[in-house]
Amino acid sequence: MKRLRLLSSIALLYCLLQGMASYFLYERYTHDVHTQADLSKSQFITAYHSSLNTFRLLPLNVFEGMIYFRDFTAMVASAPSASLETKEHLRKQIFQTLKPIFESYLKPHGFSQLQLHLKDGERFVQLFDPLTYGDNLLHLLPIKSLYDTPRSSEGLNGASGEYHYFFPLYFDHVFVGYIEMSLPFETLMQTVAPLLKNHHQTLLLRESGDLNATLEAFARTLPEAINADILIDHYNSDTAVSIITNAHLLLTLSLLDVDGSISGELLSVQHNASIATLYKRMVQDTLFFALLLVVTLIMLALYQKQKNLSNALSHHDEELEETVMERTDALVKHNSFMRSLFQTIPLPAFLNDKEGRFVECNEAFTKLFKTSQENIIGAFFEDVMENVTAEEARKANAYVLKIQNPFAYEHQMSIQGELRDFVIHKNVLKENGNVIGVVGIMQEITERKNHQLKLERALEDNHKQKQQLTLDHGIINRYAIYVKLDTVGVITEASEAMAHVSGFSKSELVGKGWYNFCLEEKARLDELKERMRTKVEWEGKLSFKRKDGNTYWLHCSLIAQFTPEGTKTGYLVFAKDISNEVRIKGLIYLDELTQIYNRKKLNETLINALNIAQRYPEEQSAFILFDIDDFKAVNDIHGHLVGDSILQELSALVGKNLRDVDTFARWGGEEFAVLAPKTTLESALKITEKLRQLISSHHFKKVEHLTCSFGITEIKPTDTQDDLLKRADEALYSSKSKGKNRIEFLG
């Protein structure tokens, strides 16, 4: 019984000690594995951040040193408001400017695209698909955030897998657009691959569709111990690092779009020998303690085993240290590549810390100031260049650090006693999102300025003449009303002033027949066309219809145009808007109450009619005079207001029933007159009888029934105005005396 209790106690003690040993061994294993996982994660993230920092310098230097100049931003600023023709010309110019930059500096380093976006979001130019442009990407939320707050930005496109760099363009401190450069993220992955041994990597895009299908495809490239279900479960655990098996880690790096939102994730499955060793050690330790408790007689052997395991761990630590050293060496080489890339920039370039010390410069910078790199690194501006230039450089650095955006300025400096001109571009230098200093690129423009000065002097007179011609053309186009016509009268060109006065746009005028807008009678238009066909010049007043339906009048001067060989090519029409004069003159001739012509207008028309009769005796015309019967009684009974209303109603009734060529006027009081050109006496009687019946049968609003008496006479070649009026008045008097509501005429 005692032996049984002893065995039970030993078994219980064995289970207790074995459990405690297993627990502490597992805790140590878990701690070491997570430490190793965090180290792998840190190396993974550091490798990609280093690569991104390296590639960022290339687009930044290309943008600052080769694109962001005032002439270029001026073209971009003028594009949104330019005409279609000018816009196309600007697009070609910008394309020709960007293409050699892309071919020489970006494409060899894996970049696939260089684009220009205008401030309204229009994709204006892109390489290499110059036939596709004009679309607008502002509906995309990441892009829209850049236009809400213009800034330099970079990020991964969640749909295409392209990594984009956006650089804002300013003209006179006003945002005018973006330069976009992009490269496949696969290029970055290939660059980082040598730094990440034993890694299998894939890119997951948030907008690519079914992520599980992508993970399943990725799982097929991994060791058999990792199937798709295991990979999907660990990915959905939403951790940046996960232990898949006792020898593999799943590392996740979130990738951001240009607005800071997550657009994709980079997955890496790493075969980690250290974790495999740790797992093996845990199993061995567990068995060791089990054997220690069971076989107390072989303590020495177990001790030796533990010593062997300690040696294995020591060897593992050495391997781990060697791995860290290898990767550190890779990072050093990577930084060396970055410096080499910096040195290949053809323009003088430098890096300053926030205090203004030089921390790096390229060979072109040292050659410019004819000093060694050792004398520049660690020095301030005042130690390298003259005081005026140093002060200007220090102010520019302070301004860039304040606005945290690109800035460029021109400065003339003395180098070795020689005055030379430069455009200096500066921008903030960031690392992990923190500003650490300023990067600067200097472009010498001394030769360009000297050449420009010589060219300006040589072409000064010609330039002034062109400026004056351009100014004159702009003034003529804006203020002179003119159109150009081809030989059949179709408009081939129209000024802005013509478009303004007519209400039609230039595109609505060009290609249309000029005569189609004219309101003149067909006979007059036919006469004008004949004059244009046979004569070189014509001048006269014409009426036209505006787009809104109103009428306007122009005093036109037509001049035929010919080739040097004498062939007529068309007509140039200059015009003056006389609509106000016509309208004002029309108001002078209107009777205020009835809104028909007054006596002044009728007198002028009578004079013209008498002149025509004298010139063309065979052309007959008639003059009709009539008044309202017993109109005084109407005023006495109903009052003058009712009388005025009747005069207005009668005028409207008669005016609607006369021809357009007839002149209808109020002669005075209740008396009216009609001048009917090209009308025989017989036709005049018919017109007058029609008016008499119309008036006598009409029901007036205030008075039920009215009649009128009429007097008619024909216009004779020998008549004076007094003769004509006297006969018409006698005919009217005869009509009144014979009973009213009738017609009398005197030949």
Side-chain angles (χ1 to χ4, degrees):
M1 181 64 88
K2 289 183 178 178
R3 188 174 183 179
L4 181 62
R5 285 200 298 267
L6 179 60
L7 291 174
S8 299
S9 299
I10 292 173
L12 180 63
L13 180 62
Y14 168 79
C15 292
L16 178 62
L17 292 176
Q18 181 63 38
M20 292 176 60
S22 299
Y23 172 79
F24 286 113
L25 286 172
Y26 182 77
E27 284 294 311
R28 187 184 72 172
Y29 166 76
T30 303
H31 177 268
D32 291 343
V33 166
H34 281 91
T35 300
Q36 179 61 37
D38 289 339
L39 177 61
S40 296
K41 172 188 172 183
S42 177
Q43 293 170 345
F44 178 69
I45 294 175
T46 300
Y48 271 95
H49 282 175
S50 297
S51 181
L52 289 174
N53 287 337
T54 299
F55 270 92
R56 186 185 303 114
L57 278 177
L58 179 60
L60 177 64
N61 290 329
V62 168
F63 173 74
E64 295 288 352
M66 303 178 187
I67 297 177
Y68 193 30
F69 299 110
R70 182 174 179 82
D71 292 344
F72 182 86
T73 55
M75 288 193 293
V76 176
S78 65
S81 59
S83 64
L84 290 177
E85 182 178 355
T86 304
K87 206 169 187 179
E88 188 61 27
H89 177 69
L90 288 173
R91 181 176 286 112
K92 291 179 179 178
Q93 278 191 306
I94 293 174
F95 180 85
Q96 293 301 322
T97 300
L98 297 180
K99 182 178 179 181
I101 297 174
F102 176 81
E103 291 285 352
S104 300
Y105 296 97
L106 296 178
K107 190 174 180 181
H109 290 90
F111 280 78
S112 60
Q113 187 57 276
L114 172 60
Q115 304 184 77
L116 167 64
H117 303 272
L118 301 183
K119 65 179 180 181
D120 58 2
E122 178 186 358
R123 181 155 47 190
F124 193 66
V125 170
Q126 66 168 344
L127 287 89
F128 249 80
D129 188 7
L131 298 180
T132 301
Y133 51 78
D135 52 331
N136 193 299
L137 303 180
L138 284 186
H139 64 281
L140 302 177
L141 291 178
I143 302 301
K144 184 176 184 300
S145 69
L146 294 182
Y147 284 82
D148 293 338
T149 308
R151 64 192 184 277
S152 297
S153 186
E154 63 182 86
L156 175 71
N157 185 297
S160 66
E162 293 275 318
Y163 197 83
H164 299 265
Y165 298 87
F166 287 85
F167 301 98
L169 293 168
Y170 292 84
F171 181 72
D172 290 342
H173 306 294
V174 176
F175 171 68
V176 297
Y178 271 107
I179 286 293
E180 177 189 355
M181 307 178 197
S182 61
L183 74 163
F185 196 81
E186 293 291 337
T187 302
L188 293 171
M189 294 172 64
Q190 293 171 7
T191 305
V192 179
L195 302 177
L196 301 174
K197 297 179 180 179
N198 301 324
H199 282 255
H200 297 269
Q201 302 178 61
T202 188
L203 178 64
L204 298 181
L205 301 177
R206 285 295 175 94
E207 299 178 25
S208 64
D210 189 359
L211 294 180
N212 286 345
T214 306
L215 290 171
E216 289 174 358
F218 179 47
R220 288 194 288 271
T221 67
L222 301 176
E224 294 180 358
I226 306 172
N227 57 41
D229 293 335
I230 293 176
L231 186 63
I232 292 173
D233 289 341
H234 281 275
Y235 171 74
N236 291 330
S237 66
D238 200 26
T239 59
V241 57
S242 180
I243 304 168
I244 303 178
T245 69
N246 55 16
H248 292 88
L249 293 176
L250 175 64
L251 307 174
T252 305
L253 174 61
S254 295
L255 301 172
L256 305 182
D257 210 331
V258 294
D259 63 344
S261 64
I262 296 177
S263 59
E265 292 171 309
L266 184 64
L267 263 63
S268 177
V269 173
Q270 178 195 19
H271 178 268
N272 195 300
S274 298
I275 293 178
T277 302
L278 290 172
Y279 178 80
K280 181 179 179 181
R281 187 182 70 175
M282 184 194 72
V283 173
Q284 290 174 341
D285 285 351
T286 303
L287 294 175
F288 168 76
F289 279 102
L291 292 174
L292 179 65
L293 294 172
V294 176
V295 190
T296 57
L297 299 177
I298 55 174
M299 290 290 293
L300 185 59
L302 290 176
Y303 171 77
Q304 187 63 39
K305 181 69 175 180
Q306 180 66 24
K307 185 177 181 180
N308 293 337
L309 288 175
S310 298
N311 290 334
L313 288 176
S314 176
H315 180 67
H316 162 69
D317 291 338
E318 290 176 358
E319 290 180 345
L320 182 62
E321 182 179 357
E322 183 179 352
T323 301
V324 171
M325 291 180 64
E326 286 179 357
R327 296 190 179 173
T328 302
D329 183 60
L331 288 175
V332 170
K333 292 179 180 178
H334 198 65
N335 289 334
S336 176
F337 167 74
M338 186 177 98
R339 289 192 179 92
S340 298
L341 186 65
F342 184 73
Q343 292 295 333
T344 60
I345 298 175
L347 302 175
F350 58 89
L351 303 177
N352 297 130
D353 62 15
K354 292 196 285 188
E355 286 72 33
R357 296 184 187 88
F358 287 95
V359 297
E360 187 62 83
C361 66
N362 65 357
E363 185 178 353
F365 189 85
T366 60
K367 287 182 178 179
L368 176 65
F369 289 97
K370 293 182 173 58
T371 185
S372 65
Q373 193 175 40
E374 290 75 13
N375 292 334
I376 296 176
I377 304 302
F380 290 95
F381 290 113
E382 293 80 0
D383 303 324
V384 177
M385 53 194 69
E386 63 178 11
N387 291 337
V388 175
T389 302
E391 181 64 24
E392 191 73 19
R394 190 173 292 280
K395 289 180 180 178
N397 273 23
Y399 181 69
V400 169
L401 290 171
K402 178 181 178 182
I403 66 173
Q404 295 196 16
N405 267 313
F407 174 66
Y409 64 97
E410 286 190 18
H411 183 69
Q412 187 180 68
M413 62 180 69
S414 175
I415 298 179
Q416 302 295 320
E418 179 185 0
L419 289 177
R420 297 165 70 175
D421 294 289
F422 292 87
V423 173
I424 304 172
H425 301 267
K426 292 188 175 182
N427 198 0
V428 291
L429 184 65
K430 294 183 179 180
E431 183 175 343
N432 296 328
N434 298 319
V435 177
I436 61 172
V438 175
V439 57
I441 298 176
M442 303 173 66
Q443 182 188 21
E444 184 169 3
I445 58 172
T446 307
E447 184 177 351
R448 187 178 73 188
K449 276 206 163 188
N450 292 337
H451 178 72
Q452 182 179 356
L453 183 61
K454 293 177 182 178
L455 186 63
E456 286 176 355
R457 289 173 179 172
L459 301 177
E460 184 175 358
D461 292 338
N462 186 35
H463 182 64
K464 288 181 179 179
Q465 184 179 11
K466 286 184 178 179
Q467 280 187 324
Q468 188 62 43
L469 287 173
T470 302
L471 178 61
D472 292 345
H473 182 269
I475 293 173
I476 291 172
N477 184 48
R478 184 174 299 178
Y479 298 106
I481 303 171
Y482 75 87
V483 294
K484 287 184 179 180
L485 311 176
D486 62 14
T487 54
V488 294
V490 174
I491 300 173
T492 59
E493 183 181 334
S495 66
E496 291 180 9
M498 185 68 217
H500 176 74
V501 75
S502 68
F504 294 95
S505 66
K506 286 186 177 183
S507 61
E508 290 173 321
L509 291 171
V510 174
K512 308 296 191 308
W514 185 56
Y515 308 109
N516 296 339
F517 297 97
C518 191
L519 294 178
E520 299 295 328
E521 295 179 357
K522 183 178 182 303
R524 184 150 190 256
L525 288 178
D526 290 341
E527 179 186 352
L528 173 58
K529 292 177 183 178
E530 180 63 21
R531 287 291 300 273
M532 290 174 64
R533 188 181 67 82
T534 58
K535 303 292 184 181
V536 175
E537 297 180 358
W538 179 87
E539 185 173 349
K541 181 180 75 174
L542 296 172
S543 59
F544 296 86
K545 186 176 182 179
R546 281 179 54 84
K547 186 175 181 179
D548 58 14
N550 291 324
T551 302
Y552 65 99
W553 289 265
L554 299 178
H555 184 86
C556 301
S557 297
L558 279 75
I559 304 172
Q561 293 186 303
F562 298 89
T563 64
E565 293 75 21
T567 303
K568 184 185 291 185
T569 59
Y571 304 90
L572 185 61
V573 182
F574 283 97
K576 176 184 178 184
D577 187 1
I578 58 172
S579 300
N580 289 336
E581 292 91 327
V582 172
R583 292 190 183 98
I584 292 172
K585 192 172 182 180
L587 292 175
I588 295 173
Y589 290 135
L590 288 181
D591 178 65
E592 185 176 357
L593 176 64
T594 62
Q595 292 301 299
I596 63 174
Y597 285 130
N598 56 20
R599 189 164 184 162
K600 177 178 178 65
K601 175 64 176 179
L602 185 64
N603 281 330
E604 291 186 6
T605 308
L606 283 175
I607 293 172
N608 290 335
L610 291 170
N611 290 334
I612 292 173
Q614 291 174 4
R615 192 179 306 170
Y616 306 103
E618 69 283 356
E619 190 172 292
Q620 295 177 300
S621 298
F623 182 65
I624 306 167
L625 197 62
F626 69 94
D627 70 357
I628 302 173
D629 296 331
D630 302 317
F631 188 69
K632 183 176 182 302
V634 173
N635 281 333
D636 292 342
I637 295 171
H638 300 285
H640 287 281
L641 291 178
V642 173
D644 289 347
S645 175
I646 289 172
L647 292 174
Q648 292 171 338
E649 191 173 354
L650 176 68
S651 299
L653 178 65
V654 173
K656 292 178 182 178
N657 288 276
L658 289 173
R659 302 173 301 175
D660 290 340
V661 296
D662 297 333
T663 301
F664 177 41
R666 185 181 179 192
W667 189 248
E670 72 275 17
E671 198 169 22
F672 298 87
V674 178
L675 177 62
K678 297 184 180 180
T679 304
T680 63
L681 188 57
E682 182 180 357
S683 296
L685 287 170
K686 291 180 180 179
I687 293 172
T688 307
E689 178 58 24
K690 175 184 174 183
L691 295 178
R692 188 192 68 78
Q693 292 181 8
L694 187 68
I695 295 169
S696 63
S697 62
H698 183 72
H699 294 282
F700 289 87
K701 294 178 182 179
K702 304 295 184 180
V703 178
E704 184 68 19
H705 181 68
L706 284 176
T707 62
C708 289
S709 298
F710 297 82
I712 305 174
T713 185
E714 61 179 342
I715 300 176
K716 300 176 181 179
T718 58
D719 275 340
T720 64
Q721 188 172 352
D722 290 340
D723 295 336
L724 181 63
L725 294 175
K726 182 178 179 182
R727 285 202 310 276
D729 193 55
E730 288 176 356
L732 176 59
Y733 179 78
S734 175
S735 177
K736 289 280 190 183
S737 63
K738 291 182 180 181
K740 303 176 183 178
N741 190 25
R742 58 182 289 121
I743 301 170
E744 293 291 333
F745 66 89
L746 289 176

